[in-house]
Amino acid sequence: MNKALDAVITRWIQDHREEFISDLMGLVAIPSVKEEPVPDCPYGEPVGRALSYMLSLCEKAGLTTLDIDGRCAEATREGGETIVGVLTHLDIVPAGDGWTRNPWGELSGERMYGRGVIDNKGPAVASLYALRALIAAGAPVANSLRLIFGGDEEFGMDDIRYYLTKRPAPDYAFSPDARFPVIHAEKGIASGEFYADITAPTAITSLSGGTRPNVVPAAAQASLRELAIGHLSAAVEQRTHIMLVVENGEILVRSEGLSAHASTPHKGRNAAVQLIEYLADTLPEGDGALPLMRALADGSRMATDGSGLSIACRDAVSGALTFNLGKIALEGKRLTLTYDIRHPVTIDFDETLKKMERTLGALGFTMAPASPRAGLYLPASHPLVATLTRVYTQCTGRRSRPVAIGGGTYARTLPRAVAFGPIFPGQPENAHMADEYARVGDLLAAARIFAHAMLELGNLQPPSSNG
Ligand SMILES: [Zn+2]
């Protein structure tokens, strides 16, 4: 690293702390949650306002700006043909309940609170300040440096799909919408349904559990007809995490689990799976639902490593497959189960889904066609990954290696992109939570790292000439 240049960049960023805070507060004040389209704002007026606000900051900085039909925005420091991109997004999830701070921006000491402060408005403004610092320092950069701001990351990622129909993809890009160090592998993701009909009479009158495919269900419940009560109370003891309540001549079975993200399902306790196992053990012989419950319970069918469905696998880069049963529902005669799979990035995903379909078929279930999203993988030796790894190590003094994750980040919307920042190792993640916050000093530290990343990538050859 050029120490003299680093000193200028670091000083410039520190000197602009107050301006940074004020720019970010202005952006956080805009409640840019996706809404119904209005003219020129396909994601709603507030998202459009956030994009124009950011573009006006970029214009003031002397960058070439472009509004991409109200879906995205970009700001470029013109250079050579090779384009280096920094991808962030300006849309947010709703503030939600439980805030003790102002969700539209509140500064308290080092901490700035507000929806989007860390996800992803803080990093977006930090990427602008990184570029401004680089320009102010007179750093020599050969390539074009482009900030790309999306308007639809939280609900659909439709923004960058559209962007790529209008604009060239950057040759190298990073997206500070996750954490440090470089994330060079993201598992493939598929979610979908499988189902079967209960054709013979059953004691079950209702059955439901879970809210979303990518969350381990914290609760599931079933109601059983009175005729089953005698059998149940005689044959079954209460179990941990299962509660029985008799109500209006029905028996209500409540299963209590522990929620977790589908990329780490083993950290949770699946209430839907508990309920299935309970029903498989306790429904009377001859009940119409019993064969399906047994098929789902026996042999740990719903195990989080996929072994029960004969799809367990792992690779050295991204680790083991994870399986999550995210939802269960009985509607009429149809029992529908919703799953989420995170798949090792170097293994054939379609082959795994075919195996799963065969296993489920043999158990009497039909699997709806899945549309897997491919993973993201660039080897550690790839110039983008190697450069960002080096920059992170030089800026922080911490040796680091690129990491693999089970989640899907914004980076996978672009080719030749990886997630990089903004959360440092060991720091809590509070995106999407009440009292979301970021420490100003951390955002500025990230800005310094982004500046060096742009500088180094800004002097790389295009991908074709160095493999
Ligand atoms: Zn985000």
Side-chain angles (χ1 to χ4, degrees), residues 275-308:
L275 181 61
I276 289 166
E277 288 169 351
Y278 183 81
L279 293 172
D281 287 350
T282 58
L283 283 173
E285 280 305 327
D287 187 282
L290 188 57
L292 290 177
M293 292 303 154
R294 283 187 175 156
L296 291 169
D298 291 354
S300 301
R301 287 287 167 219
M302 301 290 107
T304 57
D305 64 356
S307 55

Side-chain angles (χ1 to χ4, degrees), residues 77 83-84 92 154 196 205 210 213 240 251 285 353 358 403 408 412 450:
R77 198 272 177 129
I83 300 167
V84 174
I92 51 173
E154 301 290 0
T205 56
T240 6
I251 187 159
E285 280 305 327
L353 291 170
R358 280 197 295 273
V403 297
R412 71 168 77 192
F450 300 158

